[in-house]
Amino acid sequence: MRYRTEVINGIDFYGLGFSMVRGECVAEGTLRWMQKGEAAAVLITNTSLPDMSGFELARHVRRQFPCLRVIFLTDTPNLAEAQQAVRCGAYDYLPKSDGIDALRSAMIRVSEELHTESREEAYLRGQQNWDECISRLLKLLLALKPGIDEDHWQPIYEMLESCFDGEISILVVNARHMKNVPGRKTDIKDAQWIATLLRAGLLKGSFIPDKAFRELRHLTRYRKSVVHDITAQKNRIDKFLQSSGFRFTAFLSDTFGASGRNIIRHLIEHGSIDREALDKCLKTKTRNRIDEILVALNGSLSEHQRRFLNMVFRHLEDLEAHKHTVEDEITEEVLKHTDALNLLCSIPGIDVTAAAAIIAEIGTDMSSFPDSQHICSWAGLSPGNNESAGKRKSVHINKGNPYLKSMLCEVAWIMASHRKLYLSGWYWKVKQRKGAKRATIALARKILSIIYTMLKTGTPYNEECFEQRRLRCERKRANRLVNELQKLGYVVVAPD
């Protein structure tokens, strides 16, 4: 009763009409209050009541009083209750563990709003305007996750995505596109400024793929981190072997190939290796250099070193087995998008793993991007624009999506090694003028533009489409050479 007494005193002190719902006959008391038509500014209710839930009560009451502010009190705050509170249009969602001070602060905010509210603002509030909606959602999220800041939008988006059943579109906007005047930053002013920009149509939501593609992202990005762990573990083993007198890199291009793994297993068992054992471990043509290899493997391992090598080598094998498990999961998920998978795999240099990573990042519906230039800019493959007073300054590519950018660069490296492809020849021409790094980024951008067109039109990759362009380039080159010779006084006769 002390808790209820303090609440009532706080409400009376700020001059607010109120109805605090507690007791055993909640539904009966509420219906009697609605029939009387008594005006109230605030409804304070528990989320769990004896004869109905607080959310059902709020829905009934707000049908007659749409401008009523509802404050929910809960013993155990959780995500499911917060989502229901949002659907009911909650003004605030307070854990009882926060004490009476939290409720008193909420009532102070209500009092200030009522005393400064104009008729136009009251109408907008009655129509569920965006200012109040954003502020209310932020309060609920901060009550659930006090540590959330502007950099962690994913849990907020996941929570709100299922709240409105598709009736309200949720936008995630780049903070650089809606900055306010410096020196005037508060959470309330930020919410008002964002709402003003949204009503004016000046905000554009960032690209967020559907939930199925976001779940596929978890697997593809996790696979990349597992590959990084495997590489780090291989480097750790190689460094340990080098420090113990075993110089694998002096004769093996891949320390962890078939020959290298056989030698490592022999060292784990015996600590050293002789000529006969080395001959059994080596494969293919490496046996021709067995004497040189034996000199490079003249070290020895103690008992502790053998146990340590066994430990780190087993961990490497576990990581590789785990990578295969992740890849099996990726294959199972990406097979749900067979059409897009077949289109991407038709490009030279793209296999199932690369196709799955690309599909997970950009999806299969290209309607979110007006043209290929927009998706290239989103991926971070477009140069910046820094020009002032007629001077164009040096610019770099934007950050974009690092996962998509790195995968496209890997595909570009593979494609550049196929000399018969048109894009490979184009890469080597750019490399002569701009260097290898810029040529790789340029080829990655061209590949992404091709992928965009393929997914939008549904046409597979066809190398013959570049044949006309190749012939046109050859004619231009021949004409240029003929002109140069004619300038030098030569007479050039075209062949029959």
Side-chain angles (χ1 to χ4, degrees):
M1 295 299 295
R2 180 175 178 272
Y3 185 87
R4 179 181 178 182
T5 303
E6 291 191 15
V7 171
I8 292 177
N9 289 339
I11 297 174
D12 290 341
F13 178 79
Y14 293 108
L16 300 176
F18 73 96
S19 174
M20 183 168 180
V21 181
R22 294 185 62 167
E24 298 181 357
C25 300
V26 175
E28 182 180 350
T30 304
L31 293 175
R32 189 184 309 113
W33 171 66
M34 291 175 62
Q35 291 174 357
K36 291 181 179 180
E38 297 177 354
V42 183
L43 171 65
I44 305 173
T45 176
N46 293 329
T47 54
S48 59
L49 298 171
D51 52 353
M52 69 166 56
S53 70
F55 307 112
E56 295 178 1
L57 176 65
R59 291 192 189 97
H60 289 307
V61 174
R62 284 179 64 87
R63 289 174 186 171
Q64 183 171 349
F65 302 98
C67 297
L68 186 71
R69 295 168 173 83
V70 182
I71 298 177
F72 289 101
L73 304 177
T74 180
D75 296 316
T76 56
N78 56 76
L79 181 60
E81 279 192 353
Q83 290 178 340
Q84 289 185 332
V86 171
R87 296 190 187 100
C88 296
Y91 180 81
D92 216 332
Y93 177 79
L94 302 175
K96 291 183 179 179
S97 59
D98 291 351
I100 191 64
D101 292 334
L103 184 58
R104 182 179 287 114
S105 299
M107 301 309 298
I108 292 174
R109 293 196 301 271
V110 174
S111 176
E112 292 175 349
E113 290 179 5
L114 289 177
H115 288 108
T116 60
E117 191 176 58
S118 64
R119 292 184 180 181
E120 181 180 0
E121 290 172 342
Y123 173 77
L124 291 175
R125 184 172 58 80
Q127 296 295 324
Q128 294 279 326
N129 69 77
W130 280 106
D131 288 355
E132 183 180 351
C133 182
I134 292 176
S135 301
R136 186 167 63 243
L137 294 178
L138 288 176
K139 292 170 188 173
L140 294 175
L141 293 169
L142 292 175
L144 282 175
K145 298 181 180 293
I148 287 180
D149 57 18
E150 64 272 14
D151 295 330
H152 299 83
W153 59 267
Q154 283 125 347
I156 301 175
Y157 188 87
E158 292 282 347
M159 172 186 171
L160 299 179
E161 187 179 22
S162 59
C163 282
F164 305 104
D165 300 327
E167 297 179 359
I168 296 179
S169 298
I170 303 173
L171 300 181
V172 178
V173 184
N174 193 331
R176 293 184 300 175
H177 300 166
M178 55 183 182
K179 270 196 169 184
N180 203 345
V181 179
R184 299 182 181 180
K185 176 169 175 49
T186 64
D187 291 340
I188 296 177
K189 289 183 177 180
D190 283 347
Q192 293 173 347
W193 176 248
I194 294 171
T196 301
L197 294 177
L198 183 62
R199 285 196 297 267
L202 298 177
L203 293 182
K204 183 179 180 182
S206 301
F207 169 67
I208 299 178
D210 296 336
K211 192 174 183 63
F213 297 106
R214 297 203 304 270
E215 292 174 350
L216 180 58
R217 273 185 181 181
H218 296 160
L219 295 173
T220 56
R221 294 183 177 183
Y222 178 60
R223 179 194 172 276
K224 185 175 182 179
S225 65
V226 172
V227 171
H228 288 172
D229 294 340
I230 291 175
T231 304
Q233 189 69 7
K234 287 182 177 180
N235 293 335
R236 188 177 295 112
I237 296 174
D238 185 64
K239 181 180 179 181
F240 172 75
L241 291 173
Q242 294 277 359
S243 64
S244 302
F246 300 94
R247 301 186 301 276
F248 279 71
T249 55
F251 61 90
L252 290 178
S253 58
D254 184 9
T255 305
F256 298 93
S259 300
R261 289 175 184 264
N262 290 338
I263 296 174
I264 292 175
R265 293 189 181 96
H266 183 84
L267 293 176
I268 291 173
E269 294 181 4
H270 303 91
S272 61
I273 191 168
D274 54 13
R275 183 185 179 88
E276 182 180 356
L278 181 60
D279 185 63
K280 294 180 181 179
C281 293
L282 294 178
K283 302 292 183 181
T284 64
K285 295 182 180 181
T286 52
R287 292 181 177 177
N288 300 332
R289 304 172 55 197
I290 189 170
D291 294 330
E292 300 177 11
I293 296 172
L294 191 60
V295 174
L297 301 177
N298 59 355
S300 61
L301 298 178
S302 63
E303 183 65 25
H304 166 73
Q305 290 174 326
R306 289 164 55 191
R307 290 199 305 269
F308 179 76
L309 180 60
N310 181 49
M311 184 188 307
V312 293
F313 187 69
R314 292 289 178 267
H315 182 50
L316 173 63
E317 293 180 335
D318 293 340
L319 287 174
E320 291 173 340
H322 184 57
K323 187 188 81 168
H324 293 313
T325 303
V326 175
E327 288 176 346
D328 293 339
E329 291 290 334
I330 292 174
T331 303
E332 183 180 351
E333 289 293 327
V334 79
L335 287 178
K336 300 176 182 178
H337 314 284
T338 309
D339 296 338
L341 180 64
N342 294 334
L343 289 175
L344 295 185
C345 289
S346 64
I347 301 177
I350 295 183
D351 58 357
V352 177
T353 302
I358 294 172
I359 291 174
E361 298 300 330
I362 65 176
T364 58
D365 184 12
M366 296 293 102
S367 60
S368 301
F369 303 99
D371 51 34
S372 60
Q373 295 180 355
H374 284 77
I375 193 173
C376 290
S377 176
W378 177 82
L381 295 173
S382 296
N385 191 9
N386 188 4
E387 183 179 352
S388 179
K391 296 181 180 180
R392 184 175 179 84
K393 301 180 181 179
S394 176
V395 292
H396 301 281
I397 57 174
N398 50 359
K399 294 182 179 179
N401 188 323
Y403 299 96
L404 179 60
K405 187 193 302 184
S406 61
M407 180 56 66
L408 290 173
C409 288
E410 292 181 19
V411 174
W413 293 334
I414 297 173
M415 186 175 289
S417 62
H418 295 75
R419 294 301 184 98
K420 295 183 179 181
L421 297 177
Y422 169 79
L423 292 178
S424 175
W426 181 84
Y427 165 83
W428 289 101
K429 291 179 183 178
V430 176
K431 181 181 177 182
Q432 292 176 355
R433 295 184 287 108
K434 299 292 186 179
K437 292 184 178 180
R438 292 187 177 182
T440 302
I441 293 295
L443 182 55
R445 175 190 170 95
K446 190 173 287 291
I447 293 172
L448 183 57
S449 300
I450 293 173
I451 291 174
Y452 173 85
T453 305
M454 290 169 56
L455 293 177
K456 193 168 186 178
T457 60
T459 56
Y461 179 85
N462 186 6
E463 183 68 20
E464 295 179 358
C465 295
F466 298 105
E467 186 64 25
Q468 296 180 357
R469 185 177 181 86
R470 182 186 291 109
L471 294 175
R472 187 165 59 251
C473 292
E474 290 179 356
R475 286 195 298 268
K476 288 176 62 177
R477 181 170 177 268
N479 293 334
R480 180 173 58 82
L481 295 176
V482 168
N483 292 333
E484 292 293 335
L485 290 173
Q486 289 176 350
K487 289 179 181 178
L488 295 175
Y490 290 92
V491 177
V492 180
V493 179
D496 295 336

